[in-house]
mmCIF file with all atom_site columns, all heavy atoms in Angstrom:
data_model
loop_
_atom_site.group_PDB
_atom_site.id
_atom_site.type_symbol
_atom_site.label_atom_id
_atom_site.label_alt_id
_atom_site.label_comp_id
_atom_site.label_asym_id
_atom_site.label_entity_id
_atom_site.label_seq_id
_atom_site.pdbx_PDB_ins_code
_atom_site.Cartn_x
_atom_site.Cartn_y
_atom_site.Cartn_z
_atom_site.occupancy
_atom_site.B_iso_or_equiv
_atom_site.pdbx_formal_charge
_atom_site.auth_seq_id
_atom_site.auth_comp_id
_atom_site.auth_asym_id
_atom_site.auth_atom_id
_atom_site.pdbx_PDB_model_num
ATOM 1   N N   . VAL N 1 1  ? 7.118  -112.224 1.922   1.00 0.00 ? 260 VAL N N   1
ATOM 2   C CA  . VAL N 1 1  ? 6.096  -111.595 1.066   1.00 0.00 ? 260 VAL N CA  1
ATOM 3   C C   . VAL N 1 1  ? 5.308  -112.629 0.303   1.00 0.00 ? 260 VAL N C   1
ATOM 4   O O   . VAL N 1 1  ? 5.983  -113.432 -0.468  1.00 0.00 ? 260 VAL N O   1
ATOM 5   C CB  . VAL N 1 1  ? 6.628  -110.538 0.221   1.00 0.00 ? 260 VAL N CB  1
ATOM 6   C CG1 . VAL N 1 1  ? 5.623  -109.959 -0.749  1.00 0.00 ? 260 VAL N CG1 1
ATOM 7   C CG2 . VAL N 1 1  ? 7.326  -109.336 0.979   1.00 0.00 ? 260 VAL N CG2 1
ATOM 8   N N   . GLN N 1 2  ? 4.082  -112.619 0.325   1.00 0.00 ? 261 GLN N N   1
ATOM 9   C CA  . GLN N 1 2  ? 3.312  -113.630 -0.396  1.00 0.00 ? 261 GLN N CA  1
ATOM 10  C C   . GLN N 1 2  ? 2.287  -112.863 -1.267  1.00 0.00 ? 261 GLN N C   1
ATOM 11  O O   . GLN N 1 2  ? 1.872  -111.851 -0.936  1.00 0.00 ? 261 GLN N O   1
ATOM 12  C CB  . GLN N 1 2  ? 2.632  -114.650 0.401   1.00 0.00 ? 261 GLN N CB  1
ATOM 13  C CG  . GLN N 1 2  ? 1.397  -114.120 1.264   1.00 0.00 ? 261 GLN N CG  1
ATOM 14  C CD  . GLN N 1 2  ? 0.682  -115.277 2.003   1.00 0.00 ? 261 GLN N CD  1
ATOM 15  O OE1 . GLN N 1 2  ? 1.305  -116.195 2.447   1.00 0.00 ? 261 GLN N OE1 1
ATOM 16  N NE2 . GLN N 1 2  ? -0.598 -115.099 2.200   1.00 0.00 ? 261 GLN N NE2 1
ATOM 17  N N   . ASN N 1 3  ? 1.922  -113.438 -2.525  1.00 0.00 ? 262 ASN N N   1
ATOM 18  C CA  . ASN N 1 3  ? 0.877  -112.885 -3.319  1.00 0.00 ? 262 ASN N CA  1
ATOM 19  C C   . ASN N 1 3  ? -0.405 -112.902 -2.635  1.00 0.00 ? 262 ASN N C   1
ATOM 20  O O   . ASN N 1 3  ? -0.778 -113.852 -1.958  1.00 0.00 ? 262 ASN N O   1
ATOM 21  C CB  . ASN N 1 3  ? 0.857  -113.699 -4.701  1.00 0.00 ? 262 ASN N CB  1
ATOM 22  C CG  . ASN N 1 3  ? 2.125  -113.425 -5.479  1.00 0.00 ? 262 ASN N CG  1
ATOM 23  O OD1 . ASN N 1 3  ? 3.098  -114.145 -5.167  1.00 0.00 ? 262 ASN N OD1 1
ATOM 24  N ND2 . ASN N 1 3  ? 2.125  -112.547 -6.421  1.00 0.00 ? 262 ASN N ND2 1
ATOM 25  N N   . ASN N 1 4  ? -1.249 -111.858 -2.869  1.00 0.00 ? 263 ASN N N   1
ATOM 26  C CA  . ASN N 1 4  ? -2.519 -111.701 -2.268  1.00 0.00 ? 263 ASN N CA  1
ATOM 27  C C   . ASN N 1 4  ? -3.453 -111.151 -3.347  1.00 0.00 ? 263 ASN N C   1
ATOM 28  O O   . ASN N 1 4  ? -3.634 -109.950 -3.407  1.00 0.00 ? 263 ASN N O   1
ATOM 29  C CB  . ASN N 1 4  ? -2.484 -110.863 -1.015  1.00 0.00 ? 263 ASN N CB  1
ATOM 30  C CG  . ASN N 1 4  ? -3.759 -110.628 -0.270  1.00 0.00 ? 263 ASN N CG  1
ATOM 31  O OD1 . ASN N 1 4  ? -4.626 -111.661 -0.400  1.00 0.00 ? 263 ASN N OD1 1
ATOM 32  N ND2 . ASN N 1 4  ? -4.032 -109.604 0.337   1.00 0.00 ? 263 ASN N ND2 1
ATOM 33  N N   . ALA N 1 5  ? -4.076 -112.051 -4.174  1.00 0.00 ? 264 ALA N N   1
ATOM 34  C CA  . ALA N 1 5  ? -4.848 -111.612 -5.331  1.00 0.00 ? 264 ALA N CA  1
ATOM 35  C C   . ALA N 1 5  ? -3.885 -110.806 -6.268  1.00 0.00 ? 264 ALA N C   1
ATOM 36  O O   . ALA N 1 5  ? -2.839 -111.445 -6.618  1.00 0.00 ? 264 ALA N O   1
ATOM 37  C CB  . ALA N 1 5  ? -5.991 -110.836 -4.977  1.00 0.00 ? 264 ALA N CB  1
ATOM 38  N N   . GLN N 1 6  ? -4.187 -109.670 -6.639  1.00 0.00 ? 265 GLN N N   1
ATOM 39  C CA  . GLN N 1 6  ? -3.392 -108.867 -7.445  1.00 0.00 ? 265 GLN N CA  1
ATOM 40  C C   . GLN N 1 6  ? -2.317 -108.087 -6.658  1.00 0.00 ? 265 GLN N C   1
ATOM 41  O O   . GLN N 1 6  ? -1.478 -107.356 -7.221  1.00 0.00 ? 265 GLN N O   1
ATOM 42  C CB  . GLN N 1 6  ? -4.167 -107.875 -8.249  1.00 0.00 ? 265 GLN N CB  1
ATOM 43  C CG  . GLN N 1 6  ? -5.149 -108.604 -9.257  1.00 0.00 ? 265 GLN N CG  1
ATOM 44  C CD  . GLN N 1 6  ? -5.956 -107.557 -10.088 1.00 0.00 ? 265 GLN N CD  1
ATOM 45  O OE1 . GLN N 1 6  ? -6.132 -106.372 -9.641  1.00 0.00 ? 265 GLN N OE1 1
ATOM 46  N NE2 . GLN N 1 6  ? -6.488 -107.934 -11.154 1.00 0.00 ? 265 GLN N NE2 1
ATOM 47  N N   . ASP N 1 7  ? -2.353 -108.161 -5.372  1.00 0.00 ? 266 ASP N N   1
ATOM 48  C CA  . ASP N 1 7  ? -1.407 -107.306 -4.509  1.00 0.00 ? 266 ASP N CA  1
ATOM 49  C C   . ASP N 1 7  ? -0.550 -108.351 -3.701  1.00 0.00 ? 266 ASP N C   1
ATOM 50  O O   . ASP N 1 7  ? -0.419 -109.502 -4.143  1.00 0.00 ? 266 ASP N O   1
ATOM 51  C CB  . ASP N 1 7  ? -2.232 -106.374 -3.642  1.00 0.00 ? 266 ASP N CB  1
ATOM 52  C CG  . ASP N 1 7  ? -3.126 -105.444 -4.394  1.00 0.00 ? 266 ASP N CG  1
ATOM 53  O OD1 . ASP N 1 7  ? -2.687 -104.964 -5.471  1.00 0.00 ? 266 ASP N OD1 1
ATOM 54  O OD2 . ASP N 1 7  ? -4.311 -105.255 -4.035  1.00 0.00 ? 266 ASP N OD2 1
ATOM 55  N N   . TYR N 1 8  ? -0.172 -107.843 -2.500  1.00 0.00 ? 267 TYR N N   1
ATOM 56  C CA  . TYR N 1 8  ? 0.830  -108.626 -1.739  1.00 0.00 ? 267 TYR N CA  1
ATOM 57  C C   . TYR N 1 8  ? 0.447  -108.561 -0.232  1.00 0.00 ? 267 TYR N C   1
ATOM 58  O O   . TYR N 1 8  ? -0.145 -107.698 0.156   1.00 0.00 ? 267 TYR N O   1
ATOM 59  C CB  . TYR N 1 8  ? 2.206  -108.177 -1.918  1.00 0.00 ? 267 TYR N CB  1
ATOM 60  C CG  . TYR N 1 8  ? 2.664  -108.240 -3.468  1.00 0.00 ? 267 TYR N CG  1
ATOM 61  C CD1 . TYR N 1 8  ? 2.460  -107.209 -4.286  1.00 0.00 ? 267 TYR N CD1 1
ATOM 62  C CD2 . TYR N 1 8  ? 3.198  -109.442 -3.960  1.00 0.00 ? 267 TYR N CD2 1
ATOM 63  C CE1 . TYR N 1 8  ? 2.858  -107.238 -5.562  1.00 0.00 ? 267 TYR N CE1 1
ATOM 64  C CE2 . TYR N 1 8  ? 3.511  -109.559 -5.275  1.00 0.00 ? 267 TYR N CE2 1
ATOM 65  C CZ  . TYR N 1 8  ? 3.361  -108.446 -6.068  1.00 0.00 ? 267 TYR N CZ  1
ATOM 66  O OH  . TYR N 1 8  ? 3.733  -108.520 -7.489  1.00 0.00 ? 267 TYR N OH  1
ATOM 67  N N   . LEU N 1 9  ? 0.936  -109.649 0.465   1.00 0.00 ? 268 LEU N N   1
ATOM 68  C CA  . LEU N 1 9  ? 0.701  -109.596 1.916   1.00 0.00 ? 268 LEU N CA  1
ATOM 69  C C   . LEU N 1 9  ? 2.110  -109.850 2.520   1.00 0.00 ? 268 LEU N C   1
ATOM 70  O O   . LEU N 1 9  ? 2.764  -110.806 2.275   1.00 0.00 ? 268 LEU N O   1
ATOM 71  C CB  . LEU N 1 9  ? -0.115 -110.795 2.301   1.00 0.00 ? 268 LEU N CB  1
ATOM 72  C CG  . LEU N 1 9  ? -0.663 -110.808 3.744   1.00 0.00 ? 268 LEU N CG  1
ATOM 73  C CD1 . LEU N 1 9  ? -1.623 -109.521 3.970   1.00 0.00 ? 268 LEU N CD1 1
ATOM 74  C CD2 . LEU N 1 9  ? -1.518 -112.045 3.979   1.00 0.00 ? 268 LEU N CD2 1
ATOM 75  N N   . ILE N 1 10 ? 2.624  -108.917 3.387   1.00 0.00 ? 269 ILE N N   1
ATOM 76  C CA  . ILE N 1 10 ? 3.826  -109.000 4.058   1.00 0.00 ? 269 ILE N CA  1
ATOM 77  C C   . ILE N 1 10 ? 3.636  -109.612 5.371   1.00 0.00 ? 269 ILE N C   1
ATOM 78  O O   . ILE N 1 10 ? 2.876  -109.106 6.178   1.00 0.00 ? 269 ILE N O   1
ATOM 79  C CB  . ILE N 1 10 ? 4.508  -107.581 4.239   1.00 0.00 ? 269 ILE N CB  1
ATOM 80  C CG1 . ILE N 1 10 ? 4.525  -106.787 2.992   1.00 0.00 ? 269 ILE N CG1 1
ATOM 81  C CG2 . ILE N 1 10 ? 5.847  -107.723 4.844   1.00 0.00 ? 269 ILE N CG2 1
ATOM 82  C CD1 . ILE N 1 10 ? 4.826  -105.314 3.024   1.00 0.00 ? 269 ILE N CD1 1
ATOM 83  N N   . LEU N 1 11 ? 4.230  -110.800 5.632   1.00 0.00 ? 270 LEU N N   1
ATOM 84  C CA  . LEU N 1 11 ? 4.030  -111.566 6.704   1.00 0.00 ? 270 LEU N CA  1
ATOM 85  C C   . LEU N 1 11 ? 5.130  -111.312 7.846   1.00 0.00 ? 270 LEU N C   1
ATOM 86  O O   . LEU N 1 11 ? 6.317  -111.320 7.576   1.00 0.00 ? 270 LEU N O   1
ATOM 87  C CB  . LEU N 1 11 ? 4.049  -113.028 6.412   1.00 0.00 ? 270 LEU N CB  1
ATOM 88  C CG  . LEU N 1 11 ? 3.086  -113.424 5.268   1.00 0.00 ? 270 LEU N CG  1
ATOM 89  C CD1 . LEU N 1 11 ? 3.190  -115.057 5.036   1.00 0.00 ? 270 LEU N CD1 1
ATOM 90  C CD2 . LEU N 1 11 ? 1.618  -113.207 5.726   1.00 0.00 ? 270 LEU N CD2 1
ATOM 91  N N   . PHE N 1 12 ? 4.665  -111.241 9.145   1.00 0.00 ? 271 PHE N N   1
ATOM 92  C CA  . PHE N 1 12 ? 5.604  -111.050 10.279  1.00 0.00 ? 271 PHE N CA  1
ATOM 93  C C   . PHE N 1 12 ? 5.143  -112.180 11.305  1.00 0.00 ? 271 PHE N C   1
ATOM 94  O O   . PHE N 1 12 ? 4.039  -112.746 11.187  1.00 0.00 ? 271 PHE N O   1
ATOM 95  C CB  . PHE N 1 12 ? 5.378  -109.736 10.892  1.00 0.00 ? 271 PHE N CB  1
ATOM 96  C CG  . PHE N 1 12 ? 5.792  -108.524 9.981   1.00 0.00 ? 271 PHE N CG  1
ATOM 97  C CD1 . PHE N 1 12 ? 4.801  -108.017 9.103   1.00 0.00 ? 271 PHE N CD1 1
ATOM 98  C CD2 . PHE N 1 12 ? 6.994  -108.001 9.995   1.00 0.00 ? 271 PHE N CD2 1
ATOM 99  C CE1 . PHE N 1 12 ? 5.093  -107.040 8.328   1.00 0.00 ? 271 PHE N CE1 1
ATOM 100 C CE2 . PHE N 1 12 ? 7.307  -106.884 9.183   1.00 0.00 ? 271 PHE N CE2 1
ATOM 101 C CZ  . PHE N 1 12 ? 6.407  -106.460 8.333   1.00 0.00 ? 271 PHE N CZ  1
ATOM 102 N N   . ASN N 1 13 ? 5.969  -112.346 12.248  1.00 0.00 ? 272 ASN N N   1
ATOM 103 C CA  . ASN N 1 13 ? 5.533  -113.399 13.266  1.00 0.00 ? 272 ASN N CA  1
ATOM 104 C C   . ASN N 1 13 ? 4.335  -112.997 14.154  1.00 0.00 ? 272 ASN N C   1
ATOM 105 O O   . ASN N 1 13 ? 3.839  -113.924 14.782  1.00 0.00 ? 272 ASN N O   1
ATOM 106 C CB  . ASN N 1 13 ? 6.825  -113.904 14.050  1.00 0.00 ? 272 ASN N CB  1
ATOM 107 C CG  . ASN N 1 13 ? 7.359  -112.826 14.929  1.00 0.00 ? 272 ASN N CG  1
ATOM 108 O OD1 . ASN N 1 13 ? 6.804  -111.729 14.895  1.00 0.00 ? 272 ASN N OD1 1
ATOM 109 N ND2 . ASN N 1 13 ? 8.297  -113.145 15.749  1.00 0.00 ? 272 ASN N ND2 1
ATOM 110 N N   . GLN N 1 14 ? 4.037  -111.794 14.196  1.00 0.00 ? 273 GLN N N   1
ATOM 111 C CA  . GLN N 1 14 ? 2.963  -111.315 15.024  1.00 0.00 ? 273 GLN N CA  1
ATOM 112 C C   . GLN N 1 14 ? 1.830  -110.712 14.169  1.00 0.00 ? 273 GLN N C   1
ATOM 113 O O   . GLN N 1 14 ? 0.828  -110.190 14.717  1.00 0.00 ? 273 GLN N O   1
ATOM 114 C CB  . GLN N 1 14 ? 3.371  -110.350 16.055  1.00 0.00 ? 273 GLN N CB  1
ATOM 115 C CG  . GLN N 1 14 ? 4.370  -110.882 17.050  1.00 0.00 ? 273 GLN N CG  1
ATOM 116 C CD  . GLN N 1 14 ? 4.881  -109.826 18.057  1.00 0.00 ? 273 GLN N CD  1
ATOM 117 O OE1 . GLN N 1 14 ? 4.054  -108.945 18.434  1.00 0.00 ? 273 GLN N OE1 1
ATOM 118 N NE2 . GLN N 1 14 ? 6.101  -109.976 18.365  1.00 0.00 ? 273 GLN N NE2 1
ATOM 119 N N   . GLY N 1 15 ? 1.900  -110.776 12.863  1.00 0.00 ? 274 GLY N N   1
ATOM 120 C CA  . GLY N 1 15 ? 0.841  -110.178 12.132  1.00 0.00 ? 274 GLY N CA  1
ATOM 121 C C   . GLY N 1 15 ? 1.180  -110.059 10.642  1.00 0.00 ? 274 GLY N C   1
ATOM 122 O O   . GLY N 1 15 ? 2.089  -110.696 10.114  1.00 0.00 ? 274 GLY N O   1
ATOM 123 N N   . ALA N 1 16 ? 0.391  -109.373 9.847   1.00 0.00 ? 275 ALA N N   1
ATOM 124 C CA  . ALA N 1 16 ? 0.614  -109.174 8.399   1.00 0.00 ? 275 ALA N CA  1
ATOM 125 C C   . ALA N 1 16 ? 0.164  -107.705 7.954   1.00 0.00 ? 275 ALA N C   1
ATOM 126 O O   . ALA N 1 16 ? -0.663 -107.161 8.669   1.00 0.00 ? 275 ALA N O   1
ATOM 127 C CB  . ALA N 1 16 ? -0.158 -110.261 7.645   1.00 0.00 ? 275 ALA N CB  1
ATOM 128 N N   . VAL N 1 17 ? 0.736  -107.327 6.815   1.00 0.00 ? 276 VAL N N   1
ATOM 129 C CA  . VAL N 1 17 ? 0.352  -105.949 6.326   1.00 0.00 ? 276 VAL N CA  1
ATOM 130 C C   . VAL N 1 17 ? 0.098  -106.169 4.801   1.00 0.00 ? 276 VAL N C   1
ATOM 131 O O   . VAL N 1 17 ? 0.940  -106.545 4.005   1.00 0.00 ? 276 VAL N O   1
ATOM 132 C CB  . VAL N 1 17 ? 1.564  -105.011 6.436   1.00 0.00 ? 276 VAL N CB  1
ATOM 133 C CG1 . VAL N 1 17 ? 1.172  -103.669 5.829   1.00 0.00 ? 276 VAL N CG1 1
ATOM 134 C CG2 . VAL N 1 17 ? 1.817  -104.897 7.930   1.00 0.00 ? 276 VAL N CG2 1
ATOM 135 N N   . PRO N 1 18 ? -1.092 -105.953 4.350   1.00 0.00 ? 277 PRO N N   1
ATOM 136 C CA  . PRO N 1 18 ? -1.453 -105.849 2.883   1.00 0.00 ? 277 PRO N CA  1
ATOM 137 C C   . PRO N 1 18 ? -0.708 -104.665 2.347   1.00 0.00 ? 277 PRO N C   1
ATOM 138 O O   . PRO N 1 18 ? -0.630 -103.636 2.819   1.00 0.00 ? 277 PRO N O   1
ATOM 139 C CB  . PRO N 1 18 ? -2.977 -105.728 2.861   1.00 0.00 ? 277 PRO N CB  1
ATOM 140 C CG  . PRO N 1 18 ? -3.499 -106.042 4.224   1.00 0.00 ? 277 PRO N CG  1
ATOM 141 C CD  . PRO N 1 18 ? -2.369 -105.755 5.167   1.00 0.00 ? 277 PRO N CD  1
ATOM 142 N N   . ALA N 1 19 ? -0.086 -104.963 1.054   1.00 0.00 ? 278 ALA N N   1
ATOM 143 C CA  . ALA N 1 19 ? 0.589  -103.936 0.341   1.00 0.00 ? 278 ALA N CA  1
ATOM 144 C C   . ALA N 1 19 ? 0.329  -103.874 -1.068  1.00 0.00 ? 278 ALA N C   1
ATOM 145 O O   . ALA N 1 19 ? -0.050 -104.852 -1.668  1.00 0.00 ? 278 ALA N O   1
ATOM 146 C CB  . ALA N 1 19 ? 2.095  -104.214 0.666   1.00 0.00 ? 278 ALA N CB  1
ATOM 147 N N   . LYS N 1 20 ? 0.458  -102.755 -1.665  1.00 0.00 ? 279 LYS N N   1
ATOM 148 C CA  . LYS N 1 20 ? 0.464  -102.540 -3.089  1.00 0.00 ? 279 LYS N CA  1
ATOM 149 C C   . LYS N 1 20 ? 1.783  -101.867 -3.505  1.00 0.00 ? 279 LYS N C   1
ATOM 150 O O   . LYS N 1 20 ? 2.298  -100.970 -2.776  1.00 0.00 ? 279 LYS N O   1
ATOM 151 C CB  . LYS N 1 20 ? -0.678 -101.585 -3.443  1.00 0.00 ? 279 LYS N CB  1
ATOM 152 C CG  . LYS N 1 20 ? -2.109 -102.157 -3.175  1.00 0.00 ? 279 LYS N CG  1
ATOM 153 C CD  . LYS N 1 20 ? -3.168 -101.208 -3.438  1.00 0.00 ? 279 LYS N CD  1
ATOM 154 C CE  . LYS N 1 20 ? -4.555 -101.636 -2.965  1.00 0.00 ? 279 LYS N CE  1
ATOM 155 N NZ  . LYS N 1 20 ? -5.135 -102.691 -3.864  1.00 0.00 ? 279 LYS N NZ  1
ATOM 156 N N   . ILE N 1 21 ? 2.285  -102.168 -4.703  1.00 0.00 ? 280 ILE N N   1
ATOM 157 C CA  . ILE N 1 21 ? 3.523  -101.593 -5.094  1.00 0.00 ? 280 ILE N CA  1
ATOM 158 C C   . ILE N 1 21 ? 3.507  -101.451 -6.609  1.00 0.00 ? 280 ILE N C   1
ATOM 159 O O   . ILE N 1 21 ? 2.891  -102.235 -7.380  1.00 0.00 ? 280 ILE N O   1
ATOM 160 C CB  . ILE N 1 21 ? 4.790  -102.335 -4.699  1.00 0.00 ? 280 ILE N CB  1
ATOM 161 C CG1 . ILE N 1 21 ? 6.058  -101.700 -4.995  1.00 0.00 ? 280 ILE N CG1 1
ATOM 162 C CG2 . ILE N 1 21 ? 4.698  -103.781 -5.225  1.00 0.00 ? 280 ILE N CG2 1
ATOM 163 C CD1 . ILE N 1 21 ? 7.387  -102.338 -4.356  1.00 0.00 ? 280 ILE N CD1 1
ATOM 164 N N   . VAL N 1 22 ? 4.048  -100.317 -7.200  1.00 0.00 ? 281 VAL N N   1
ATOM 165 C CA  . VAL N 1 22 ? 4.207  -100.139 -8.574  1.00 0.00 ? 281 VAL N CA  1
ATOM 166 C C   . VAL N 1 22 ? 5.680  -99.784  -8.913  1.00 0.00 ? 281 VAL N C   1
ATOM 167 O O   . VAL N 1 22 ? 6.269  -98.968  -8.179  1.00 0.00 ? 281 VAL N O   1
ATOM 168 C CB  . VAL N 1 22 ? 3.251  -98.942  -9.050  1.00 0.00 ? 281 VAL N CB  1
ATOM 169 C CG1 . VAL N 1 22 ? 3.563  -98.590  -10.488 1.00 0.00 ? 281 VAL N CG1 1
ATOM 170 C CG2 . VAL N 1 22 ? 1.861  -99.325  -8.777  1.00 0.00 ? 281 VAL N CG2 1
ATOM 171 N N   . LEU N 1 23 ? 6.197  -100.363 -9.959  1.00 0.00 ? 282 LEU N N   1
ATOM 172 C CA  . LEU N 1 23 ? 7.569  -100.041 -10.404 1.00 0.00 ? 282 LEU N CA  1
ATOM 173 C C   . LEU N 1 23 ? 7.604  -99.415  -11.661 1.00 0.00 ? 282 LEU N C   1
ATOM 174 O O   . LEU N 1 23 ? 6.760  -99.670  -12.494 1.00 0.00 ? 282 LEU N O   1
ATOM 175 C CB  . LEU N 1 23 ? 8.418  -101.381 -10.467 1.00 0.00 ? 282 LEU N CB  1
ATOM 176 C CG  . LEU N 1 23 ? 8.504  -102.293 -9.157  1.00 0.00 ? 282 LEU N CG  1
ATOM 177 C CD1 . LEU N 1 23 ? 9.363  -103.512 -9.554  1.00 0.00 ? 282 LEU N CD1 1
ATOM 178 C CD2 . LEU N 1 23 ? 8.926  -101.506 -7.983  1.00 0.00 ? 282 LEU N CD2 1
ATOM 179 N N   . ASN N 1 24 ? 8.497  -98.533  -11.894 1.00 0.00 ? 283 ASN N N   1
ATOM 180 C CA  . ASN N 1 24 ? 8.655  -97.889  -13.249 1.00 0.00 ? 283 ASN N CA  1
ATOM 181 C C   . ASN N 1 24 ? 9.617  -98.751  -14.102 1.00 0.00 ? 283 ASN N C   1
ATOM 182 O O   . ASN N 1 24 ? 9.955  -99.834  -13.781 1.00 0.00 ? 283 ASN N O   1
ATOM 183 C CB  . ASN N 1 24 ? 9.307  -96.510  -13.102 1.00 0.00 ? 283 ASN N CB  1
ATOM 184 C CG  . ASN N 1 24 ? 10.671 -96.396  -12.590 1.00 0.00 ? 283 ASN N CG  1
ATOM 185 O OD1 . ASN N 1 24 ? 11.421 -97.498  -12.478 1.00 0.00 ? 283 ASN N OD1 1
ATOM 186 N ND2 . ASN N 1 24 ? 11.176 -95.257  -12.122 1.00 0.00 ? 283 ASN N ND2 1
ATOM 187 N N   . SER N 1 25 ? 9.819  -98.250  -15.273 1.00 0.00 ? 284 SER N N   1
ATOM 188 C CA  . SER N 1 25 ? 10.568 -99.083  -16.281 1.00 0.00 ? 284 SER N CA  1
ATOM 189 C C   . SER N 1 25 ? 11.989 -99.415  -15.769 1.00 0.00 ? 284 SER N C   1
ATOM 190 O O   . SER N 1 25 ? 12.608 -100.354 -16.393 1.00 0.00 ? 284 SER N O   1
ATOM 191 C CB  . SER N 1 25 ? 10.688 -98.406  -17.624 1.00 0.00 ? 284 SER N CB  1
ATOM 192 O OG  . SER N 1 25 ? 11.313 -97.097  -17.521 1.00 0.00 ? 284 SER N OG  1
ATOM 193 N N   . LYS N 1 26 ? 12.565 -98.746  -14.831 1.00 0.00 ? 285 LYS N N   1
ATOM 194 C CA  . LYS N 1 26 ? 13.893 -99.051  -14.360 1.00 0.00 ? 285 LYS N CA  1
ATOM 195 C C   . LYS N 1 26 ? 13.872 -99.922  -13.107 1.00 0.00 ? 285 LYS N C   1
ATOM 196 O O   . LYS N 1 26 ? 14.888 -100.152 -12.490 1.00 0.00 ? 285 LYS N O   1
ATOM 197 C CB  . LYS N 1 26 ? 14.536 -97.615  -13.967 1.00 0.00 ? 285 LYS N CB  1
ATOM 198 C CG  . LYS N 1 26 ? 14.737 -96.681  -15.062 1.00 0.00 ? 285 LYS N CG  1
ATOM 199 C CD  . LYS N 1 26 ? 15.338 -95.342  -14.586 1.00 0.00 ? 285 LYS N CD  1
ATOM 200 C CE  . LYS N 1 26 ? 15.534 -94.350  -15.774 1.00 0.00 ? 285 LYS N CE  1
ATOM 201 N NZ  . LYS N 1 26 ? 16.127 -93.057  -15.240 1.00 0.00 ? 285 LYS N NZ  1
ATOM 202 N N   . GLY N 1 27 ? 12.693 -100.343 -12.766 1.00 0.00 ? 286 GLY N N   1
ATOM 203 C CA  . GLY N 1 27 ? 12.555 -101.105 -11.544 1.00 0.00 ? 286 GLY N CA  1
ATOM 204 C C   . GLY N 1 27 ? 12.482 -100.402 -10.304 1.00 0.00 ? 286 GLY N C   1
ATOM 205 O O   . GLY N 1 27 ? 12.672 -100.976 -9.179  1.00 0.00 ? 286 GLY N O   1
ATOM 206 N N   . GLN N 1 28 ? 12.318 -99.102  -10.320 1.00 0.00 ? 287 GLN N N   1
ATOM 207 C CA  . GLN N 1 28 ? 12.248 -98.280  -9.280  1.00 0.00 ? 287 GLN N CA  1
ATOM 208 C C   . GLN N 1 28 ? 10.816 -98.126  -8.715  1.00 0.00 ? 287 GLN N C   1
ATOM 209 O O   . GLN N 1 28 ? 9.866  -98.156  -9.393  1.00 0.00 ? 287 GLN N O   1
ATOM 210 C CB  . GLN N 1 28 ? 12.764 -96.824  -9.540  1.00 0.00 ? 287 GLN N CB  1
ATOM 211 C CG  . GLN N 1 28 ? 14.279 -96.800  -9.816  1.00 0.00 ? 287 GLN N CG  1
ATOM 212 C CD  . GLN N 1 28 ? 14.705 -95.468  -10.216 1.00 0.00 ? 287 GLN N CD  1
ATOM 213 O OE1 . GLN N 1 28 ? 14.028 -94.883  -11.125 1.00 0.00 ? 287 GLN N OE1 1
ATOM 214 N NE2 . GLN N 1 28 ? 15.850 -94.966  -9.702  1.00 0.00 ? 287 GLN N NE2 1
ATOM 215 N N   . ILE N 1 29 ? 10.613 -97.981  -7.332  1.00 0.00 ? 288 ILE N N   1
ATOM 216 C CA  . ILE N 1 29 ? 9.362  -97.873  -6.763  1.00 0.00 ? 288 ILE N CA  1
ATOM 217 C C   . ILE N 1 29 ? 8.803  -96.474  -7.077  1.00 0.00 ? 288 ILE N C   1
ATOM 218 O O   . ILE N 1 29 ? 9.317  -95.519  -6.697  1.00 0.00 ? 288 ILE N O   1
ATOM 219 C CB  . ILE N 1 29 ? 9.430  -98.143  -5.235  1.00 0.00 ? 288 ILE N CB  1
ATOM 220 C CG1 . ILE N 1 29 ? 9.874  -99.594  -5.051  1.00 0.00 ? 288 ILE N CG1 1
ATOM 221 C CG2 . ILE N 1 29 ? 8.016  -97.910  -4.625  1.00 0.00 ? 288 ILE N CG2 1
ATOM 222 C CD1 . ILE N 1 29 ? 10.135 -99.829  -3.505  1.00 0.00 ? 288 ILE N CD1 1
#
């Protein structure tokens, strides 16, 4: 997983998936 501006990019050997994620105060998604 690499940083992609304010979001993230999940890397695979055949491609990639841009992703956004938010955690609560307990670290839960």
